[in-house]
Amino acid sequence: TIPEGSTSYEVGMVIKQSLPSISLDVFKEQINKQKAEGKLFPSTYFLLPSNNEEYIIKLMVKTFDDIYKKNFINLTIPSPLSNQSDVIILASLLEGEAKTESDMKIISGILLNRLNIGMPLQVDVMKETYTKKGLPNNPINNPGNMALRAVFEPTMTNYLYYITGKDGIMHYAKTFEEHKRNIQKYLR
């Protein structure tokens, strides 16, 4: 069973626990060869000892493709995203930033707002987003159905900022001043 938001390395480690004959190096090579980063769909797989790295990755990517076609192919990709790769990258960030469906949808809207106004994404799960505008070049993990759905069904608000308080609850702000007050109130 592969949890949502697992990195490709974590996916390899989970599979290696069940199939010790798997090589993590070959697994990584196959991910690169098949351009599977972000498409190792989190689910439960029933694998045989004879299954090799290439087969396993093809199976996981096929599962991703089937779910994407079934649930998302007819939906409009929200602006300024332009393709499936952008959707996967944003969904991977949502996996790292939020836990609940409603928070994922609100943060999806916030990150889309930031992209639309040319603001850096500034997500804690990927530090380069503080210095570079736009989406990262690659997904940071393998997003699940909930995160993908949140990209297509964002909750659009006037919020530009968010934090997770010490209590695990998300707190949103429209202005940087309001955001700083939230930091003082919920993180100190």
Side-chain angles (χ1 to χ4, degrees), residues 26-40 52-65 84 88:
V26 174
F27 194 79
K28 185 178 179 189
E29 285 169 20
Q30 282 296 320
I31 290 170
N32 293 335
K33 182 178 176 187
Q34 296 184 43
K35 296 181 176 39
E37 198 67 54
K39 293 184 178 182
L40 303 177
N52 66 14
E53 298 86 352
E54 181 181 11
Y55 171 84
I56 294 166
I57 295 193
K58 280 186 176 160
L59 174 66
M60 295 180 85
V61 170
K62 182 183 182 327
T63 303
F64 173 89
D65 288 340
Q84 183 190 65
I88 294 168

Side-chain angles (χ1 to χ4, degrees), residues 109-173:
I110 290 170
L111 296 180
L112 289 168
N113 285 343
R114 289 179 183 179
L115 288 168
N116 277 316
I117 64 171
M119 179 180 170
L121 290 179
Q122 301 175 336
V123 293
D124 290 344
V125 293
M126 187 162 203
K127 295 301 180 193
E128 86 174 39
T129 61
Y130 279 85
T131 56
K132 177 182 169 268
K133 290 181 181 178
L135 290 170
N137 294 331
N138 298 300
I140 59 168
N141 59 44
N142 294 280
N145 206 38
M146 190 166 60
L148 289 165
R149 181 154 310 284
V151 172
F152 285 99
E153 298 174 1
T155 301
M156 297 311 289
T157 65
N158 292 326
Y159 298 134
L160 280 176
Y161 302 94
Y162 61 93
I163 58 164
T164 305
K166 285 183 176 179
D167 54 4
I169 295 172
M170 303 297 291
H171 302 279
Y172 303 100

Side-chain angles (χ1 to χ4, degrees), residues 7-72:
T7 65
S8 295
Y9 175 78
E10 291 165 342
V11 171
M13 292 300 287
V14 169
I15 291 170
K16 187 156 181 67
Q17 286 175 344
S18 299
L19 296 175
S21 63
I22 293 297
S23 158
L24 291 176
D25 289 337
V26 174
F27 194 79
K28 185 178 179 189
E29 285 169 20
Q30 282 296 320
I31 290 170
N32 293 335
K33 182 178 176 187
Q34 296 184 43
K35 296 181 176 39
E37 198 67 54
K39 293 184 178 182
L40 303 177
F41 196 76
S43 188
T44 299
Y45 296 91
F46 299 95
L47 302 173
L48 300 171
S50 60
N51 294 150
N52 66 14
E53 298 86 352
E54 181 181 11
Y55 171 84
I56 294 166
I57 295 193
K58 280 186 176 160
L59 174 66
M60 295 180 85
V61 170
K62 182 183 182 327
T63 303
F64 173 89
D65 288 340
D66 290 348
I67 299 246
Y68 196 91
K69 282 181 188 131
K70 178 182 170 204
N71 296 316
F72 306 113

